[in-house]
Amino acid sequence: MLNETIEKLLVYANAHLGLDEEDNTYTRNILMDLCNVSEPFFDEMNISAIRGLKVPDILIQELRSNLLLENVCDPSNVDRFIVKIMGTLTPRPSEVTAKFKVLQREKRAKATDYLYDLQIKNNYIQKSAVDRNLHWVTDFDKNNLEITINLSKPEKDNKDIARAKHEDLKDSKYPACVLCKENVGYAGRSDHPARGNLRTIPLKLDTEAWHLQYSPYVYYNKHCIVFEDVHEPMIISKRTMARLFNFVDIFPHFFIGSNADLPIVGGSILNHEHFQGGEYEFPMMKAENLVEIPVDDEELEVHILDWYNSTIHLSGTNKERIIDAMAKILNAWKIYENKQLNIIPATADIPHSTITPIVKRDGRVYHAYMILRNNRTDENYPDGIFHAHPEYHPIKKEGIGLIEAMGMFILPARLKRQLGEIANIYKEELVLGEVLQDHPDLEIFGELFTFLEEENANEETVEELITTYVNNVCREILKNTAVFKDDEEGSAAFLQFINEVKI
Ligand SMILES: [Zn+2]
């Protein structure tokens, strides 16, 4: 019965969400009203089991089935309803901020840990679903990549899309986007997630108002999003660098980076200025320096990184000096032209060249990475010259944002099923033509089928071969994004470009 579930949720919130027992009667009454329950539950419960829970899954499951069983809400609404209930059990935003600030004064990692744990415990981050994602590391000789197939990013169903269309006709300009601060507590609609259980922390970056929150999809440990207070488009400039450095001074245990500010080479949200950070060391950060660039300054080191795309690594203890150097490189890159290498910085007044900047701290030493990007398209590559080439689109066709550019691939959920079905063909000796009839969406994998044939794939080897193929494709995609290719001409041009910048 729902009244028992409500009682369990109160015990859970007392133990895990910081709900003061003094507020139990008040919160119980709100939940009873929300769930159309008239009598509370007073019998015995296994309280210690609830107190021992690491994630709320078992209670969420019970809540979901009772909400449906007792017809409190429609199946299409039940997820949003659960968010509303978990939001009601979570402390108010100002209380979360107050606790975060107290912990921050004690030890900064304690504050970021607190918010992360709260967001797992209140089901905003669905940790068990995240843990079911596939994750592996390649076995190259050097510069290994991390590959994940993300199953927790929800796919919209057709009913939702249809409803969204209807609601659009009414009004759906609020919140302006999924990053806006107005999402905190928002009930959601079919085309916009419910965020009743989201909590964000206000920050000051370079004297401006920003906010910190965690990503619900957790691509890596403590995957956070830092977004500007106002809904304004992304622009990479010297100001961006100042903000990034400001962030790692506040949270030195986190890296921070920005997606590029242009389509194709940027992230999926360009209309709201934001960064992504977290407590994680990416493959790119482990890469060796390849070439030292002479700089007339003992406080600053500049290298070309031994990495798949075109990355400049700056390090030193003087952050103003690094910010200044980055701004100079950025400005030079924005107008750099090399038709031989297909690098053209703009078409009329539409810019193509930008960067993906990333900053981290190692004690007193700052490390900054500038990945040079260009989003131009042409007849041969209508999706982008320095983007994943068409033969790799069955594996990944979305923009290669900063997480991938740093060597962690987030591949779409469909691949788990598709690659599994392809493996089955060899395991169960099925006839390819028949399988394709049943699963026409496998037709795009012609290149993979050719590879498996060439390698004489059998039931024993097919899975490993598919992994090898995916690994190689991801590496090739990163090479596609390199503006200066790893050949004589490309390397020489890269060196000449950086040497000509008056760092
Ligand atoms: Zn926004």
Side-chain angles (χ1 to χ4, degrees):
M1 297 289 280
L2 257 177
N3 61 353
E4 186 180 353
T5 311
I6 290 175
E7 225 45 47
K8 288 180 182 171
L9 286 168
L10 288 170
V11 171
Y12 179 84
N14 292 145
H16 301 294
L17 302 179
L19 176 70
D20 198 315
E21 284 189 28
E22 195 186 322
D23 292 330
N24 278 16
T25 305
Y26 167 82
T27 312
R28 179 184 296 112
N29 279 328
I30 294 176
L31 295 185
M32 284 172 60
D33 179 46
L34 275 176
C35 300
N36 296 330
V37 168
S38 50
E39 292 294 328
F41 180 83
F42 285 124
D43 288 345
E44 292 283 303
M45 287 189 312
N46 186 348
I47 287 175
S48 63
I50 297 170
R51 286 184 178 153
L53 290 176
K54 297 264 181 278
V55 288
D57 300 24
I58 192 165
L59 290 178
I60 299 289
Q61 268 169 28
E62 180 180 320
L63 177 61
R64 182 190 307 274
S65 42
N66 283 336
L67 285 171
L68 294 174
L69 212 65
E70 298 180 29
N71 288 320
V72 177
C73 63
D74 189 73
S76 67
N77 254 332
V78 71
D79 285 324
R80 270 178 266 165
F81 205 91
I82 290 169
V83 172
K84 185 188 285 190
I85 289 175
M86 295 313 285
T88 306
L89 290 162
T90 305
R92 289 188 175 225
S94 63
E95 295 171 78
V96 174
T97 301
K99 180 151 187 192
F100 187 95
K101 299 282 176 193
V102 168
L103 292 169
Q104 198 178 1
R105 281 190 285 275
E106 232 176 275
K107 190 169 188 266
R108 288 175 275 206
K110 272 193 179 177
T112 46
D113 285 356
Y114 157 69
L115 185 66
Y116 191 65
D117 185 61
L118 180 74
Q119 297 280 240
I120 290 171
K121 292 281 168 49
N122 82 353
N123 208 41
Y124 165 77
I125 294 171
Q126 294 174 14
K127 191 67 173 52
S128 315
V130 170
D131 290 343
R132 281 195 291 273
N133 292 338
L134 307 186
H135 180 270
W136 71 89
V137 179
T138 62
D139 55 357
F140 304 147
D141 293 338
K142 64 169 184 178
N143 282 338
N144 275 300
L145 303 175
E146 292 183 44
I147 318 264
T148 66
I149 295 184
N150 193 289
L151 308 172
S152 64
K153 240 184 156 176
E155 283 191 355
K156 280 184 181 176
D157 75 17
N158 289 334
K159 270 185 285 172
D160 259 357
I161 292 166
R163 243 194 323 274
K165 205 173 164 189
H166 176 68
E167 285 183 6
D168 262 341
L169 290 177
K170 283 194 296 181
D171 178 309
S172 52
K173 297 279 178 282
Y174 178 90
C177 80
V178 290
L179 289 180
C180 279
K181 63 182 176 194
E182 288 80 12
N183 281 282
V184 177
Y186 185 62
R189 47 175 205 263
S190 51
D191 63 339
H192 196 108
R195 290 289 183 241
N197 54 356
L198 166 67
R199 295 294 180 267
T200 65
I201 304 293
L203 295 176
K204 269 254 164 356
L205 288 189
D206 196 28
T207 73
E208 284 175 334
W210 284 64
H211 304 263
L212 168 78
Q213 70 171 66
Y214 283 105
S215 160
Y217 305 121
V218 202
Y219 292 157
Y220 49 83
N221 188 38
K222 310 269 165 66
H223 180 181
C224 71
I225 298 170
V226 181
F227 61 97
E228 200 173 5
D229 191 70
V230 287
H231 178 79
E232 278 182 359
M234 294 185 70
I235 298 169
I236 299 280
S237 68
K238 187 175 181 180
R239 194 93 202 259
T240 313
M241 320 305 171
R243 290 162 170 166
L244 296 175
F245 277 80
N246 202 169
F247 182 86
V248 294
D249 281 344
I250 304 172
F251 301 108
H253 55 301
F254 273 22
F255 85 91
I256 188 87
S258 173
N259 262 316
D261 52 350
L262 298 177
I264 298 177
V265 295
S268 54
I269 302 170
L270 292 172
N271 58 358
H272 194 132
E273 187 70 86
H274 71 285
F275 306 142
Q276 297 189 67
E279 202 170 347
Y280 202 71
E281 189 173 35
F282 283 86
M284 180 200 72
M285 296 170 180
K286 299 174 199 164
E288 304 274 328
N289 288 324
L290 186 66
V291 185
E292 183 171 0
I293 306 302
V295 184
D296 192 15
D297 184 340
E298 280 182 6
E299 285 190 305
L300 178 66
E301 281 186 31
V302 181
H303 291 90
I304 289 175
L305 201 65
D306 184 12
W307 187 241
Y308 302 107
N309 48 38
S310 310
T311 306
I312 301 162
H313 173 207
L314 303 94
S315 56
T317 52
N318 182 344
K319 68 173 177 178
E320 300 304 335
R321 185 69 185 89
I322 303 176
I323 291 170
D324 195 48
M326 290 174 86
K328 286 176 182 161
I329 296 170
L330 171 66
N331 291 337
W333 173 243
K334 278 181 169 173
I335 51 169
Y336 175 81
E337 182 167 290
N338 188 330
K339 287 195 173 134
Q340 218 79 23
L341 301 183
N342 246 330
I343 302 170
I344 295 172
T347 302
D349 57 351
I350 300 167
H352 297 308
S353 288
T354 182
I355 60 155
T356 303
I358 299 116
V359 176
K360 66 164 195 165
R361 258 180 78 168
D362 187 1
R364 288 179 57 244
V365 180
Y366 296 94
H367 293 271
Y369 303 87
M370 301 176 74
I371 307 175
L372 306 180
R373 313 296 299 266
N374 181 287
N375 80 343
R376 198 166 64 89
T377 58
D378 66 8
E379 274 179 12
N380 294 334
Y381 297 107
D383 296 311
I385 300 167
F386 303 104
H387 174 61
H389 286 180
E391 63 269 32
Y392 307 130
H393 288 186
I395 302 294
K396 175 92 190 177
K397 63 179 172 193
E398 301 102 314
I400 304 300
L402 87 153
I403 295 168
E404 269 130 351
M406 290 192 288
M408 175 185 269
F409 273 78
I410 317 294
L411 302 180
R414 65 175 164 83
L415 280 179
K416 189 187 178 197
R417 174 184 55 79
Q418 290 172 324
L419 298 178
E421 280 162 359
I422 292 172
N424 267 345
I425 296 172
Y426 292 85
K427 284 183 185 169
E428 294 169 21
E429 296 184 20
L430 306 175
V431 178
L432 180 57
E434 288 173 14
V435 175
L436 289 180
Q437 256 177 4
D438 291 344
H439 304 285
D441 68 339
L442 298 184
E443 267 176 34
I444 54 172
F445 292 95
E447 221 208 23
L448 171 57
F449 286 121
T450 309
F451 172 75
L452 293 174
E453 289 304 316
E454 280 170 6
E455 298 290 328
N456 293 318
N458 59 41
E459 55 173 325
E460 305 272 294
T461 60
V462 66
E463 284 194 345
E464 206 182 322
L465 286 169
I466 289 176
T467 304
T468 302
Y469 175 81
V470 172
N471 292 350
N472 291 340
V473 164
C474 291
R475 178 166 57 186
E476 291 309 310
I477 288 174
L478 278 190
K479 290 182 186 174
N480 287 161
T481 67
V483 287
F484 293 109
K485 300 301 181 197
D486 183 21
D487 54 27
E488 213 173 306
E489 204 185 357
S491 305
F494 195 177
L495 253 184
Q496 193 185 358
F497 160 72
I498 188 83
N499 276 322
E500 281 176 8
V501 182
K502 303 273 175 287
I503 296 173

